[in-house]
Amino acid sequence: MAEAIKVLLVDDHQVVRRGLRTFLEVQDDIEVVGEASDGAEGIARAEELKPDVVLMDVKMPGMDGIDALRRLRELANPARVLIVTSFTEQRTVVPALRAGAAGYVYKDVDPDALAGAIRSVHAGHILLQPEVAGVLLSQEGANSGQGRGGSLTEREREVLGLIADGRSNREIARALVLSEKTVKTHVSNILMKLDLADRTQAALWAVRHGAAG
């Protein structure tokens, strides 16, 4: 049996953490390894417990979720962060994803869908609910990377299309019969040529410019 996905809960409301823990603990492949009530404590616990996935609220007293995300990235912590929040405003969604979140779901998400979201981001996918993707597309300038798609090689365009489909590097490697190291090189070249910061922006560029599969 595969090793359980280790999850850390970061939310300032104890009742929310308790509800999440109660549901997740009945999942055979998910293990809640700890909790934190704000961003600073979340960072400390993430460094200590080495979770695979962090469920992070955005609005918390002290250090909020976005600042905590940035700090985890600075520390090169490998945990994938899934934002779970009730806030839907653009000023919250966009900074969280740009700070490095692997996905963004709302607190009213169906419990089974939440478990699926955890599995998805753990597998290396980018998880965006349709309305969240729409917000990002509206915020990414229409000229972001525009006109640069012609500089991509045919193989890079194939890789970009698979990124837009939410595929991880491992899945792209299998699909194109390449090594993961080669895929990582292609991804780096795509980001450099399109002047993009991360895979999320690459996926959105592909959707905007018709490069998605």
PDB file of all heavy atoms in Angstrom, residues 1-39:
ATOM      1  N   MET A   1       0.842  -1.187   0.000  1.00  0.00           N
ATOM      2  CA  MET A   1       0.000   0.000   0.000  1.00  0.00           C
ATOM      3  C   MET A   1       0.879   1.239   0.000  1.00  0.00           C
ATOM      4  O   MET A   1       1.883   1.305   0.711  1.00  0.00           O
ATOM      5  CB  MET A   1      -0.922  -0.003   1.230  1.00  0.00           C
ATOM      6  CG  MET A   1      -1.918   1.163   1.264  1.00  0.00           C
ATOM      7  SD  MET A   1      -3.062   1.024   2.664  1.00  0.00           S
ATOM      8  CE  MET A   1      -4.027   2.516   2.418  1.00  0.00           C
ATOM      9  N   ALA A   2       0.531   2.245  -0.796  1.00  0.00           N
ATOM     10  CA  ALA A   2       1.331   3.456  -0.884  1.00  0.00           C
ATOM     11  C   ALA A   2       1.317   4.191   0.442  1.00  0.00           C
ATOM     12  O   ALA A   2       0.354   4.129   1.214  1.00  0.00           O
ATOM     13  CB  ALA A   2       0.793   4.354  -1.999  1.00  0.00           C
ATOM     14  N   GLU A   3       2.410   4.915   0.707  1.00  0.00           N
ATOM     15  CA  GLU A   3       2.507   5.691   1.941  1.00  0.00           C
ATOM     16  C   GLU A   3       1.459   6.793   1.945  1.00  0.00           C
ATOM     17  O   GLU A   3       1.198   7.428   0.923  1.00  0.00           O
ATOM     18  CB  GLU A   3       3.912   6.284   2.053  1.00  0.00           C
ATOM     19  CG  GLU A   3       4.188   6.964   3.373  1.00  0.00           C
ATOM     20  CD  GLU A   3       5.630   7.420   3.497  1.00  0.00           C
ATOM     21  OE1 GLU A   3       6.459   6.982   2.673  1.00  0.00           O
ATOM     22  OE2 GLU A   3       5.914   8.222   4.410  1.00  0.00           O
ATOM     23  N   ALA A   4       0.858   7.032   3.103  1.00  0.00           N
ATOM     24  CA  ALA A   4      -0.199   8.035   3.216  1.00  0.00           C
ATOM     25  C   ALA A   4       0.354   9.435   2.942  1.00  0.00           C
ATOM     26  O   ALA A   4       1.514   9.740   3.231  1.00  0.00           O
ATOM     27  CB  ALA A   4      -0.826   7.984   4.596  1.00  0.00           C
ATOM     28  N   ILE A   5      -0.488  10.293   2.376  1.00  0.00           N
ATOM     29  CA  ILE A   5      -0.137  11.687   2.139  1.00  0.00           C
ATOM     30  C   ILE A   5      -0.195  12.423   3.472  1.00  0.00           C
ATOM     31  O   ILE A   5      -1.236  12.453   4.131  1.00  0.00           O
ATOM     32  CB  ILE A   5      -1.119  12.340   1.147  1.00  0.00           C
ATOM     33  CG1 ILE A   5      -1.118  11.582  -0.187  1.00  0.00           C
ATOM     34  CG2 ILE A   5      -0.759  13.811   0.926  1.00  0.00           C
ATOM     35  CD1 ILE A   5      -2.253  12.001  -1.113  1.00  0.00           C
ATOM     36  N   LYS A   6       0.907  13.022   3.885  1.00  0.00           N
ATOM     37  CA  LYS A   6       0.970  13.724   5.167  1.00  0.00           C
ATOM     38  C   LYS A   6       0.458  15.159   4.993  1.00  0.00           C
ATOM     39  O   LYS A   6       0.972  15.895   4.156  1.00  0.00           O
ATOM     40  CB  LYS A   6       2.400  13.719   5.701  1.00  0.00           C
ATOM     41  CG  LYS A   6       2.919  12.334   6.044  1.00  0.00           C
ATOM     42  CD  LYS A   6       4.320  12.364   6.611  1.00  0.00           C
ATOM     43  CE  LYS A   6       5.334  12.786   5.565  1.00  0.00           C
ATOM     44  NZ  LYS A   6       6.713  12.724   6.091  1.00  0.00           N
ATOM     45  N   VAL A   7      -0.538  15.532   5.791  1.00  0.00           N
ATOM     46  CA  VAL A   7      -1.201  16.834   5.650  1.00  0.00           C
ATOM     47  C   VAL A   7      -1.073  17.650   6.927  1.00  0.00           C
ATOM     48  O   VAL A   7      -1.246  17.128   8.033  1.00  0.00           O
ATOM     49  CB  VAL A   7      -2.692  16.641   5.303  1.00  0.00           C
ATOM     50  CG1 VAL A   7      -3.427  17.983   5.311  1.00  0.00           C
ATOM     51  CG2 VAL A   7      -2.839  15.965   3.936  1.00  0.00           C
ATOM     52  N   LEU A   8      -0.772  18.929   6.770  1.00  0.00           N
ATOM     53  CA  LEU A   8      -0.737  19.890   7.874  1.00  0.00           C
ATOM     54  C   LEU A   8      -1.888  20.872   7.698  1.00  0.00           C
ATOM     55  O   LEU A   8      -2.089  21.413   6.605  1.00  0.00           O
ATOM     56  CB  LEU A   8       0.598  20.643   7.882  1.00  0.00           C
ATOM     57  CG  LEU A   8       0.734  21.812   8.862  1.00  0.00           C
ATOM     58  CD1 LEU A   8       0.702  21.314  10.312  1.00  0.00           C
ATOM     59  CD2 LEU A   8       2.034  22.591   8.591  1.00  0.00           C
ATOM     60  N   LEU A   9      -2.662  21.124   8.766  1.00  0.00           N
ATOM     61  CA  LEU A   9      -3.792  22.040   8.723  1.00  0.00           C
ATOM     62  C   LEU A   9      -3.386  23.380   9.326  1.00  0.00           C
ATOM     63  O   LEU A   9      -2.922  23.426  10.473  1.00  0.00           O
ATOM     64  CB  LEU A   9      -4.971  21.466   9.514  1.00  0.00           C
ATOM     65  CG  LEU A   9      -5.403  20.038   9.167  1.00  0.00           C
ATOM     66  CD1 LEU A   9      -6.546  19.600  10.096  1.00  0.00           C
ATOM     67  CD2 LEU A   9      -5.829  19.946   7.714  1.00  0.00           C
ATOM     68  N   VAL A  10      -3.560  24.467   8.569  1.00  0.00           N
ATOM     69  CA  VAL A  10      -3.221  25.805   9.067  1.00  0.00           C
ATOM     70  C   VAL A  10      -4.451  26.694   8.919  1.00  0.00           C
ATOM     71  O   VAL A  10      -4.797  27.122   7.814  1.00  0.00           O
ATOM     72  CB  VAL A  10      -2.022  26.406   8.306  1.00  0.00           C
ATOM     73  CG1 VAL A  10      -1.645  27.755   8.915  1.00  0.00           C
ATOM     74  CG2 VAL A  10      -0.830  25.456   8.321  1.00  0.00           C
ATOM     75  N   ASP A  11      -5.116  26.957  10.037  1.00  0.00           N
ATOM     76  CA  ASP A  11      -6.330  27.774  10.041  1.00  0.00           C
ATOM     77  C   ASP A  11      -6.506  28.328  11.451  1.00  0.00           C
ATOM     78  O   ASP A  11      -6.274  27.619  12.431  1.00  0.00           O
ATOM     79  CB  ASP A  11      -7.551  26.932   9.636  1.00  0.00           C
ATOM     80  CG  ASP A  11      -8.767  27.777   9.310  1.00  0.00           C
ATOM     81  OD1 ASP A  11      -9.294  28.433  10.234  1.00  0.00           O
ATOM     82  OD2 ASP A  11      -9.188  27.778   8.140  1.00  0.00           O
ATOM     83  N   ASP A  12      -6.935  29.590  11.573  1.00  0.00           N
ATOM     84  CA  ASP A  12      -7.060  30.195  12.892  1.00  0.00           C
ATOM     85  C   ASP A  12      -8.324  29.770  13.631  1.00  0.00           C
ATOM     86  O   ASP A  12      -8.473  30.055  14.815  1.00  0.00           O
ATOM     87  CB  ASP A  12      -6.985  31.722  12.806  1.00  0.00           C
ATOM     88  CG  ASP A  12      -8.073  32.311  11.924  1.00  0.00           C
ATOM     89  OD1 ASP A  12      -8.217  31.838  10.798  1.00  0.00           O
ATOM     90  OD2 ASP A  12      -8.769  33.248  12.362  1.00  0.00           O
ATOM     91  N   HIS A  13      -9.233  29.094  12.952  1.00  0.00           N
ATOM     92  CA  HIS A  13     -10.466  28.648  13.598  1.00  0.00           C
ATOM     93  C   HIS A  13     -10.346  27.178  13.994  1.00  0.00           C
ATOM     94  O   HIS A  13     -10.240  26.300  13.127  1.00  0.00           O
ATOM     95  CB  HIS A  13     -11.667  28.846  12.672  1.00  0.00           C
ATOM     96  CG  HIS A  13     -11.997  30.285  12.436  1.00  0.00           C
ATOM     97  ND1 HIS A  13     -11.626  30.952  11.286  1.00  0.00           N
ATOM     98  CD2 HIS A  13     -12.634  31.204  13.224  1.00  0.00           C
ATOM     99  CE1 HIS A  13     -12.041  32.210  11.360  1.00  0.00           C
ATOM    100  NE2 HIS A  13     -12.645  32.386  12.521  1.00  0.00           N
ATOM    101  N   GLN A  14     -10.401  26.918  15.284  1.00  0.00           N
ATOM    102  CA  GLN A  14     -10.251  25.550  15.770  1.00  0.00           C
ATOM    103  C   GLN A  14     -11.343  24.633  15.238  1.00  0.00           C
ATOM    104  O   GLN A  14     -11.101  23.474  14.914  1.00  0.00           O
ATOM    105  CB  GLN A  14     -10.250  25.528  17.299  1.00  0.00           C
ATOM    106  CG  GLN A  14     -10.010  24.136  17.875  1.00  0.00           C
ATOM    107  CD  GLN A  14      -9.956  24.159  19.398  1.00  0.00           C
ATOM    108  OE1 GLN A  14     -10.210  25.178  20.025  1.00  0.00           O
ATOM    109  NE2 GLN A  14      -9.631  23.028  19.996  1.00  0.00           N
ATOM    110  N   VAL A  15     -12.574  25.172  15.137  1.00  0.00           N
ATOM    111  CA  VAL A  15     -13.680  24.344  14.673  1.00  0.00           C
ATOM    112  C   VAL A  15     -13.460  23.905  13.224  1.00  0.00           C
ATOM    113  O   VAL A  15     -13.836  22.780  12.843  1.00  0.00           O
ATOM    114  CB  VAL A  15     -15.023  25.091  14.822  1.00  0.00           C
ATOM    115  CG1 VAL A  15     -15.109  26.287  13.880  1.00  0.00           C
ATOM    116  CG2 VAL A  15     -16.202  24.136  14.569  1.00  0.00           C
ATOM    117  N   VAL A  16     -12.831  24.761  12.413  1.00  0.00           N
ATOM    118  CA  VAL A  16     -12.527  24.398  11.029  1.00  0.00           C
ATOM    119  C   VAL A  16     -11.477  23.295  11.003  1.00  0.00           C
ATOM    120  O   VAL A  16     -11.619  22.295  10.285  1.00  0.00           O
ATOM    121  CB  VAL A  16     -12.045  25.622  10.227  1.00  0.00           C
ATOM    122  CG1 VAL A  16     -11.562  25.196   8.838  1.00  0.00           C
ATOM    123  CG2 VAL A  16     -13.161  26.644  10.098  1.00  0.00           C
ATOM    124  N   ARG A  17     -10.427  23.482  11.796  1.00  0.00           N
ATOM    125  CA  ARG A  17      -9.371  22.458  11.843  1.00  0.00           C
ATOM    126  C   ARG A  17      -9.936  21.124  12.311  1.00  0.00           C
ATOM    127  O   ARG A  17      -9.598  20.068  11.780  1.00  0.00           O
ATOM    128  CB  ARG A  17      -8.226  22.900  12.757  1.00  0.00           C
ATOM    129  CG  ARG A  17      -7.526  24.176  12.319  1.00  0.00           C
ATOM    130  CD  ARG A  17      -6.161  24.323  13.001  1.00  0.00           C
ATOM    131  NE  ARG A  17      -6.220  24.207  14.440  1.00  0.00           N
ATOM    132  CZ  ARG A  17      -6.433  25.202  15.283  1.00  0.00           C
ATOM    133  NH1 ARG A  17      -6.668  26.432  14.795  1.00  0.00           N
ATOM    134  NH2 ARG A  17      -6.430  25.020  16.590  1.00  0.00           N
ATOM    135  N   ARG A  18     -10.808  21.177  13.316  1.00  0.00           N
ATOM    136  CA  ARG A  18     -11.389  19.947  13.850  1.00  0.00           C
ATOM    137  C   ARG A  18     -12.243  19.251  12.790  1.00  0.00           C
ATOM    138  O   ARG A  18     -12.197  18.027  12.638  1.00  0.00           O
ATOM    139  CB  ARG A  18     -12.238  20.265  15.083  1.00  0.00           C
ATOM    140  CG  ARG A  18     -12.814  19.032  15.771  1.00  0.00           C
ATOM    141  CD  ARG A  18     -13.580  19.438  17.022  1.00  0.00           C
ATOM    142  NE  ARG A  18     -12.717  20.131  17.976  1.00  0.00           N
ATOM    143  CZ  ARG A  18     -13.176  20.865  18.997  1.00  0.00           C
ATOM    144  NH1 ARG A  18     -14.481  21.013  19.169  1.00  0.00           N
ATOM    145  NH2 ARG A  18     -12.338  21.440  19.826  1.00  0.00           N
ATOM    146  N   GLY A  19     -13.026  20.044  12.054  1.00  0.00           N
ATOM    147  CA  GLY A  19     -13.854  19.465  11.007  1.00  0.00           C
ATOM    148  C   GLY A  19     -13.032  18.832   9.904  1.00  0.00           C
ATOM    149  O   GLY A  19     -13.339  17.726   9.433  1.00  0.00           O
ATOM    150  N   LEU A  20     -11.971  19.534   9.485  1.00  0.00           N
ATOM    151  CA  LEU A  20     -11.093  18.991   8.451  1.00  0.00           C
ATOM    152  C   LEU A  20     -10.419  17.708   8.925  1.00  0.00           C
ATOM    153  O   LEU A  20     -10.354  16.718   8.196  1.00  0.00           O
ATOM    154  CB  LEU A  20     -10.038  20.027   8.069  1.00  0.00           C
ATOM    155  CG  LEU A  20     -10.521  21.248   7.286  1.00  0.00           C
ATOM    156  CD1 LEU A  20      -9.413  22.292   7.177  1.00  0.00           C
ATOM    157  CD2 LEU A  20     -11.007  20.838   5.898  1.00  0.00           C
ATOM    158  N   ARG A  21      -9.924  17.736  10.155  1.00  0.00           N
ATOM    159  CA  ARG A  21      -9.250  16.547  10.689  1.00  0.00           C
ATOM    160  C   ARG A  21     -10.213  15.358  10.762  1.00  0.00           C
ATOM    161  O   ARG A  21      -9.863  14.239  10.368  1.00  0.00           O
ATOM    162  CB  ARG A  21      -8.675  16.850  12.071  1.00  0.00           C
ATOM    163  CG  ARG A  21      -8.012  15.635  12.735  1.00  0.00           C
ATOM    164  CD  ARG A  21      -7.519  15.962  14.129  1.00  0.00           C
ATOM    165  NE  ARG A  21      -6.274  16.714  14.124  1.00  0.00           N
ATOM    166  CZ  ARG A  21      -5.073  16.159  14.052  1.00  0.00           C
ATOM    167  NH1 ARG A  21      -4.955  14.835  13.955  1.00  0.00           N
ATOM    168  NH2 ARG A  21      -3.997  16.896  14.080  1.00  0.00           N
ATOM    169  N   THR A  22     -11.426  15.618  11.255  1.00  0.00           N
ATOM    170  CA  THR A  22     -12.407  14.537  11.391  1.00  0.00           C
ATOM    171  C   THR A  22     -12.678  13.856  10.058  1.00  0.00           C
ATOM    172  O   THR A  22     -12.734  12.616   9.974  1.00  0.00           O
ATOM    173  CB  THR A  22     -13.731  15.089  11.966  1.00  0.00           C
ATOM    174  OG1 THR A  22     -13.483  15.625  13.268  1.00  0.00           O
ATOM    175  CG2 THR A  22     -14.780  13.992  12.052  1.00  0.00           C
ATOM    176  N   PHE A  23     -12.821  14.658   9.007  1.00  0.00           N
ATOM    177  CA  PHE A  23     -13.084  14.066   7.703  1.00  0.00           C
ATOM    178  C   PHE A  23     -11.848  13.370   7.135  1.00  0.00           C
ATOM    179  O   PHE A  23     -11.919  12.237   6.654  1.00  0.00           O
ATOM    180  CB  PHE A  23     -13.554  15.126   6.709  1.00  0.00           C
ATOM    181  CG  PHE A  23     -13.568  14.633   5.291  1.00  0.00           C
ATOM    182  CD1 PHE A  23     -14.489  13.689   4.875  1.00  0.00           C
ATOM    183  CD2 PHE A  23     -12.618  15.079   4.378  1.00  0.00           C
ATOM    184  CE1 PHE A  23     -14.479  13.198   3.578  1.00  0.00           C
ATOM    185  CE2 PHE A  23     -12.600  14.590   3.087  1.00  0.00           C
ATOM    186  CZ  PHE A  23     -13.536  13.646   2.674  1.00  0.00           C
ATOM    187  N   LEU A  24     -10.704  14.049   7.199  1.00  0.00           N
ATOM    188  CA  LEU A  24      -9.510  13.512   6.548  1.00  0.00           C
ATOM    189  C   LEU A  24      -8.993  12.249   7.228  1.00  0.00           C
ATOM    190  O   LEU A  24      -8.392  11.389   6.580  1.00  0.00           O
ATOM    191  CB  LEU A  24      -8.417  14.577   6.505  1.00  0.00           C
ATOM    192  CG  LEU A  24      -8.725  15.795   5.622  1.00  0.00           C
ATOM    193  CD1 LEU A  24      -7.617  16.831   5.734  1.00  0.00           C
ATOM    194  CD2 LEU A  24      -8.907  15.373   4.162  1.00  0.00           C
ATOM    195  N   GLU A  25      -9.228  12.120   8.512  1.00  0.00           N
ATOM    196  CA  GLU A  25      -8.708  10.949   9.220  1.00  0.00           C
ATOM    197  C   GLU A  25      -9.417   9.657   8.829  1.00  0.00           C
ATOM    198  O   GLU A  25      -8.937   8.572   9.150  1.00  0.00           O
ATOM    199  CB  GLU A  25      -8.798  11.172  10.737  1.00  0.00           C
ATOM    200  CG  GLU A  25      -7.701  12.114  11.240  1.00  0.00           C
ATOM    201  CD  GLU A  25      -7.717  12.279  12.753  1.00  0.00           C
ATOM    202  OE1 GLU A  25      -8.768  11.990  13.366  1.00  0.00           O
ATOM    203  OE2 GLU A  25      -6.684  12.694  13.301  1.00  0.00           O
ATOM    204  N   VAL A  26     -10.543   9.747   8.133  1.00  0.00           N
ATOM    205  CA  VAL A  26     -11.200   8.521   7.674  1.00  0.00           C
ATOM    206  C   VAL A  26     -10.734   8.132   6.269  1.00  0.00           C
ATOM    207  O   VAL A  26     -11.156   7.100   5.745  1.00  0.00           O
ATOM    208  CB  VAL A  26     -12.742   8.663   7.689  1.00  0.00           C
ATOM    209  CG1 VAL A  26     -13.217   9.042   9.080  1.00  0.00           C
ATOM    210  CG2 VAL A  26     -13.229   9.678   6.657  1.00  0.00           C
ATOM    211  N   GLN A  27      -9.853   8.941   5.675  1.00  0.00           N
ATOM    212  CA  GLN A  27      -9.306   8.626   4.370  1.00  0.00           C
ATOM    213  C   GLN A  27      -8.100   7.698   4.535  1.00  0.00           C
ATOM    214  O   GLN A  27      -7.164   8.013   5.276  1.00  0.00           O
ATOM    215  CB  GLN A  27      -8.875   9.903   3.639  1.00  0.00           C
ATOM    216  CG  GLN A  27      -9.978  10.942   3.496  1.00  0.00           C
ATOM    217  CD  GLN A  27     -11.129  10.454   2.651  1.00  0.00           C
ATOM    218  OE1 GLN A  27     -10.935   9.915   1.569  1.00  0.00           O
ATOM    219  NE2 GLN A  27     -12.343  10.653   3.157  1.00  0.00           N
ATOM    220  N   ASP A  28      -8.118   6.568   3.866  1.00  0.00           N
ATOM    221  CA  ASP A  28      -7.049   5.582   4.034  1.00  0.00           C
ATOM    222  C   ASP A  28      -5.681   6.099   3.590  1.00  0.00           C
ATOM    223  O   ASP A  28      -4.652   5.663   4.113  1.00  0.00           O
ATOM    224  CB  ASP A  28      -7.377   4.304   3.246  1.00  0.00           C
ATOM    225  CG  ASP A  28      -8.573   3.563   3.824  1.00  0.00           C
ATOM    226  OD1 ASP A  28      -8.855   3.748   5.030  1.00  0.00           O
ATOM    227  OD2 ASP A  28      -9.223   2.816   3.060  1.00  0.00           O
ATOM    228  N   ASP A  29      -5.665   7.014   2.628  1.00  0.00           N
ATOM    229  CA  ASP A  29      -4.393   7.441   2.051  1.00  0.00           C
ATOM    230  C   ASP A  29      -3.970   8.835   2.489  1.00  0.00           C
ATOM    231  O   ASP A  29      -3.049   9.416   1.914  1.00  0.00           O
ATOM    232  CB  ASP A  29      -4.466   7.386   0.517  1.00  0.00           C
ATOM    233  CG  ASP A  29      -5.573   8.280  -0.049  1.00  0.00           C
ATOM    234  OD1 ASP A  29      -6.497   8.625   0.717  1.00  0.00           O
ATOM    235  OD2 ASP A  29      -5.510   8.628  -1.242  1.00  0.00           O
ATOM    236  N   ILE A  30      -4.636   9.399   3.508  1.00  0.00           N
ATOM    237  CA  ILE A  30      -4.306  10.739   3.986  1.00  0.00           C
ATOM    238  C   ILE A  30      -4.120  10.698   5.500  1.00  0.00           C
ATOM    239  O   ILE A  30      -4.945  10.138   6.217  1.00  0.00           O
ATOM    240  CB  ILE A  30      -5.405  11.756   3.625  1.00  0.00           C
ATOM    241  CG1 ILE A  30      -5.507  11.908   2.101  1.00  0.00           C
ATOM    242  CG2 ILE A  30      -5.122  13.120   4.264  1.00  0.00           C
ATOM    243  CD1 ILE A  30      -6.653  12.790   1.636  1.00  0.00           C
ATOM    244  N   GLU A  31      -3.045  11.306   5.984  1.00  0.00           N
ATOM    245  CA  GLU A  31      -2.752  11.345   7.417  1.00  0.00           C
ATOM    246  C   GLU A  31      -2.539  12.792   7.850  1.00  0.00           C
ATOM    247  O   GLU A  31      -1.667  13.488   7.305  1.00  0.00           O
ATOM    248  CB  GLU A  31      -1.499  10.529   7.730  1.00  0.00           C
ATOM    249  CG  GLU A  31      -1.062  10.606   9.189  1.00  0.00           C
ATOM    250  CD  GLU A  31       0.301   9.983   9.440  1.00  0.00           C
ATOM    251  OE1 GLU A  31       0.946   9.543   8.468  1.00  0.00           O
ATOM    252  OE2 GLU A  31       0.718   9.956  10.610  1.00  0.00           O
ATOM    253  N   VAL A  32      -3.317  13.272   8.797  1.00  0.00           N
ATOM    254  CA  VAL A  32      -3.129  14.619   9.343  1.00  0.00           C
ATOM    255  C   VAL A  32      -2.005  14.543  10.381  1.00  0.00           C
ATOM    256  O   VAL A  32      -2.151  13.885  11.415  1.00  0.00           O
ATOM    257  CB  VAL A  32      -4.416  15.161   9.988  1.00  0.00           C
ATOM    258  CG1 VAL A  32      -4.161  16.531  10.612  1.00  0.00           C
ATOM    259  CG2 VAL A  32      -5.532  15.247   8.956  1.00  0.00           C
ATOM    260  N   VAL A  33      -0.893  15.205  10.103  1.00  0.00           N
ATOM    261  CA  VAL A  33       0.281  15.095  10.976  1.00  0.00           C
ATOM    262  C   VAL A  33       0.389  16.254  11.961  1.00  0.00           C
ATOM    263  O   VAL A  33       1.212  16.212  12.889  1.00  0.00           O
ATOM    264  CB  VAL A  33       1.578  14.992  10.156  1.00  0.00           C
ATOM    265  CG1 VAL A  33       1.593  13.703   9.348  1.00  0.00           C
ATOM    266  CG2 VAL A  33       1.765  16.205   9.249  1.00  0.00           C
ATOM    267  N   GLY A  34      -0.419  17.321  11.775  1.00  0.00           N
ATOM    268  CA  GLY A  34      -0.330  18.434  12.702  1.00  0.00           C
ATOM    269  C   GLY A  34      -1.267  19.561  12.342  1.00  0.00           C
ATOM    270  O   GLY A  34      -1.917  19.547  11.296  1.00  0.00           O
ATOM    271  N   GLU A  35      -1.328  20.552  13.239  1.00  0.00           N
ATOM    272  CA  GLU A  35      -2.178  21.722  13.042  1.00  0.00           C
ATOM    273  C   GLU A  35      -1.411  22.978  13.446  1.00  0.00           C
ATOM    274  O   GLU A  35      -0.453  22.917  14.225  1.00  0.00           O
ATOM    275  CB  GLU A  35      -3.448  21.625  13.898  1.00  0.00           C
ATOM    276  CG  GLU A  35      -4.318  20.431  13.620  1.00  0.00           C
ATOM    277  CD  GLU A  35      -5.547  20.400  14.525  1.00  0.00           C
ATOM    278  OE1 GLU A  35      -5.867  21.464  15.120  1.00  0.00           O
ATOM    279  OE2 GLU A  35      -6.174  19.330  14.643  1.00  0.00           O
ATOM    280  N   ALA A  36      -1.866  24.125  12.918  1.00  0.00           N
ATOM    281  CA  ALA A  36      -1.309  25.422  13.302  1.00  0.00           C
ATOM    282  C   ALA A  36      -2.413  26.454  13.191  1.00  0.00           C
ATOM    283  O   ALA A  36      -3.330  26.315  12.371  1.00  0.00           O
ATOM    284  CB  ALA A  36      -0.131  25.799  12.406  1.00  0.00           C
ATOM    285  N   SER A  37      -2.323  27.506  14.010  1.00  0.00           N
ATOM    286  CA  SER A  37      -3.396  28.496  14.066  1.00  0.00           C
ATOM    287  C   SER A  37      -3.059  29.807  13.364  1.00  0.00           C
ATOM    288  O   SER A  37      -3.894  30.709  13.319  1.00  0.00           O
ATOM    289  CB  SER A  37      -3.767  28.782  15.527  1.00  0.00           C
ATOM    290  OG  SER A  37      -2.644  29.274  16.234  1.00  0.00           O
ATOM    291  N   ASP A  38      -1.853  29.944  12.834  1.00  0.00           N
ATOM    292  CA  ASP A  38      -1.508  31.129  12.045  1.00  0.00           C
ATOM    293  C   ASP A  38      -0.326  30.800  11.142  1.00  0.00           C
ATOM    294  O   ASP A  38       0.244  29.708  11.205  1.00  0.00           O
ATOM    295  CB  ASP A  38      -1.197  32.345  12.935  1.00  0.00           C
ATOM    296  CG  ASP A  38      -0.025  32.115  13.883  1.00  0.00           C
ATOM    297  OD1 ASP A  38       0.945  31.423  13.501  1.00  0.00           O
ATOM    298  OD2 ASP A  38      -0.068  32.641  15.010  1.00  0.00           O
ATOM    299  N   GLY A  39       0.048  31.768  10.296  1.00  0.00           N
ATOM    300  CA  GLY A  39       1.089  31.513   9.313  1.00  0.00           C
ATOM    301  C   GLY A  39       2.440  31.198   9.922  1.00  0.00           C
ATOM    302  O   GLY A  39       3.142  30.285   9.474  1.00  0.00           O
TER     303      GLY A  39
END
